[in-house]
Amino acid sequence: MKQIITELLKTEPYYISAMSNISAVIMDQMPDLNWAGFYLVRDGRLVVGPFQGKPACIHIRKGRGVCGTCFDTDKTIVVPDVHRFSGHIACDSASNSEIVIPIHRNGEVAAVLDIDSPAFDRFSEDDRRMLEGVAEVMEQLLEW
């Protein structure tokens, strides 16, 4: 997947276009997902960006839910059971597990990659490493 995304970013590095295609690639390449997309940092909070899936929460405060916690801690978060995550925001009731990866611009979190699954414990350590690699490619090649 990292190679596909690298090639997409070489073709079109503008962040909105790139994130639109990256969310589509993730939905296509990873089984058992119901949402894949981005939240962008704007005015100190997260705002929904390009995604694939059902309608999403539009604004998320820093520190709230899995995405807001990722934004606040600047760390990847893997949640095997979102129903056990304190403060989880249920945008899609079908979601049971989640992974969120920070994406940086100039050393600061500029966005998060959020992926949900209807399966419990869907995201492995291999998934985490692969998706963090995708984030690294994005950090290097995106044009904001």
Side-chain angles (χ1 to χ4, degrees):
M1 182 181 318
K2 187 175 173 181
Q3 182 62 33
I4 294 168
I5 289 170
T6 299
E7 292 305 315
L8 282 172
L9 286 169
K10 287 180 181 176
T11 303
E12 180 51 71
Y14 176 62
Y15 75 102
I16 295 294
S17 303
M19 288 176 175
S20 296
N21 273 330
I22 290 166
S23 61
V25 168
I26 291 169
M27 283 295 279
D28 182 62
Q29 298 288 310
M30 292 184 76
D32 298 323
L33 302 183
N34 60 319
W35 204 91
F38 298 89
Y39 279 91
L40 308 171
V41 175
R42 191 172 90 196
D43 298 328
R45 65 181 174 174
L46 296 172
V47 179
V48 72
F51 70 91
Q52 299 278 312
K54 290 183 178 180
C57 302
I58 297 173
H59 300 106
I60 299 175
R61 290 189 321 266
K62 191 172 190 175
R64 184 160 184 260
V66 182
C67 290
T69 301
C70 175
F71 175 31
D72 187 40
T73 63
D74 191 9
K75 294 183 189 311
T76 296
I77 300 177
V78 179
V79 182
D81 181 350
V82 297
H83 310 289
R84 295 180 182 264
F85 189 91
S86 179
H88 174 254
I89 303 167
C91 294
D92 182 348
S93 62
S95 294
N96 287 313
S97 63
E98 185 170 5
I99 185 170
V100 183
I101 301 96
I103 300 168
H104 303 90
R105 177 181 178 212
N106 301 326
E108 301 287 326
V109 177
V112 298
L113 169 56
D114 178 24
I115 305 172
D116 294 5
S117 173
F120 288 97
D121 202 19
R122 162 62 185 85
F123 303 102
S124 67
E125 185 65 19
D126 288 341
D127 291 329
R128 183 190 63 79
R129 282 193 296 273
M130 183 266 301
L131 292 166
E132 287 176 341
V134 166
E136 289 172 10
V137 169
M138 293 177 71
E139 290 168 353
Q140 294 167 7
L141 299 177
L142 277 182
E143 289 182 7
W144 298 86

